[in-house]
Amino acid sequence: MADISPVHDNSHKPQGERSRKMRARILSAAINLLREKGYSAFRVADVAESAGVSRGAQLHHFPTKDQLVAACLEQVFSAALEKATVAAGKAIEDDGLLEAACDDAEAFFYGEDFLIALDLVISGNKLRALADDVRGMSQQRRVGAEQVWVSRFARTGLSPSDAEDILWLLWSVLRGLAVRAQIGKDPERARRVTELTIALLSGYAQSLRERNDGTGGPDAIG
C-alpha cells in the first residue's frame, strides 16, 4: 500500500511568515555589516550576498539604501527600548535604582549598536535624504527607552521634570565616556567618574525629595 502520510513542506508556510523571516534575515546581515564596516563602506550588494538572498528579494523589502539603513537603526533602537523596559520593570526596589539605570545605559552605550547608531546619526545629519528618518527614529526609540526610566524614577518622590533632568545628566556622562573610550580606553577612570556621578545625583535626588515632602526625613535611593 502506498504511503499516504502527510509531507511537511516548509515551502507551504504562509506568505506573511516567509516575508517576515526574509526581512529579518536581511536586516541581521545589514546590521552585522554596519558593525564591521560602518556606513561609509556599507554596500547594499554586500547585504544580499551576506544574507544569502537574491538582490531582487532584498529590493522587494528595502528598495533603497536609505530605507534599509533606517530599518537597521529602528531595529537597534527597538532592541534597546525592549531591554530598557524589561530592566526598569525588574527594578522593584527604589534602592539602587540609579545603578540599575546606569547598568542598562552602559549596556547600550558601550555596545556595538551604539556605535552603529552614532555613525548613522552623524551620517544622517550630512545626508538630507536620511536625516529625517534618523532623527525621527532616535526620538521615538532611544528617547522612548530613556522615558521608561524617567517614569520609573519619578515614582520615588520626584517630579517628572526633576527625574528627567537627573537621568539625562547620567546618560550624558555615560554617553560621553563611551565616546571617549573610542579615543583611548581608561576603564579605571571611567569607573570612578561613573561612581562619582551616581553619588552626586543620588544626593541631589534625596535633597529634592526632602524638599518636596517638607519633612526633611530619609527617603533614600541608591
Side-chain angles (χ1 to χ4, degrees):
M1 179 179 297
D3 184 1
I4 58 173
S5 59
V7 176
H8 298 285
D9 186 352
N10 289 334
S11 66
H12 289 87
K13 289 182 180 179
Q15 179 63 33
E17 181 181 353
R18 294 200 303 272
S19 180
R20 283 191 297 273
K21 287 186 175 181
M22 176 70 73
R23 179 183 174 88
R25 190 171 167 183
I26 294 169
L27 278 178
S28 178
I31 290 173
N32 285 336
L33 286 171
L34 283 169
R35 287 172 179 157
E36 294 173 8
K37 299 183 176 183
Y39 179 81
S40 61
F42 181 76
R43 302 288 181 269
V44 291
D46 294 338
V47 176
E49 181 179 354
S50 179
V53 303
S54 69
R55 183 69 185 279
Q58 178 180 304
L59 291 174
H60 171 74
H61 291 280
F62 306 102
T64 69
K65 177 181 179 179
D66 285 348
Q67 288 176 337
L68 176 57
V69 168
C72 288
L73 189 62
E74 180 177 14
Q75 181 87 350
V76 166
F77 281 144
S78 293
L81 173 58
E82 182 177 349
K83 291 176 182 177
T85 302
V86 171
K90 289 181 177 178
I92 299 174
E93 301 294 331
D94 288 351
D95 184 46
L97 190 57
L98 264 178
E99 286 86 345
C102 179
D103 289 343
D104 174 62
E106 285 183 330
F108 177 71
F109 290 130
Y110 284 92
E112 291 181 327
D113 286 350
F114 171 65
L115 297 180
I116 292 177
L118 184 62
D119 187 20
L120 294 182
V121 167
I122 293 172
S123 299
N125 287 333
K126 296 177 181 178
L127 303 172
R128 186 176 300 276
L130 186 59
D132 290 342
D133 283 340
V134 169
R135 281 194 295 268
M137 207 66 62
S138 300
Q139 292 172 356
Q140 293 172 15
R141 303 297 185 181
R142 183 60 213 166
V143 174
E146 294 173 349
Q147 287 301 315
V148 169
W149 283 107
V150 170
S151 297
R152 174 63 184 87
F153 203 64
R155 300 207 306 268
T156 68
L158 295 171
S159 71
S161 177
D162 286 338
E164 188 169 52
D165 286 347
I166 289 169
L167 286 168
W168 273 41
L169 179 54
L170 174 65
W171 291 319
S172 294
V173 170
L174 294 175
R175 189 182 297 112
L177 289 173
V179 173
R180 179 67 178 79
Q182 299 303 311
I183 302 172
K185 297 184 183 299
D186 188 351
E188 180 61 25
R189 182 181 294 275
R191 181 190 62 78
R192 292 200 310 270
V193 171
T194 300
E195 291 177 353
L196 175 60
T197 302
I198 291 175
L200 292 172
L201 291 177
S202 294
Y204 177 62
Q206 178 62 20
S207 69
L208 289 176
R209 289 191 200 88
E210 293 173 359
R211 184 192 67 188
N212 290 341
D213 65 27
T215 65
D219 183 19
I221 182 170

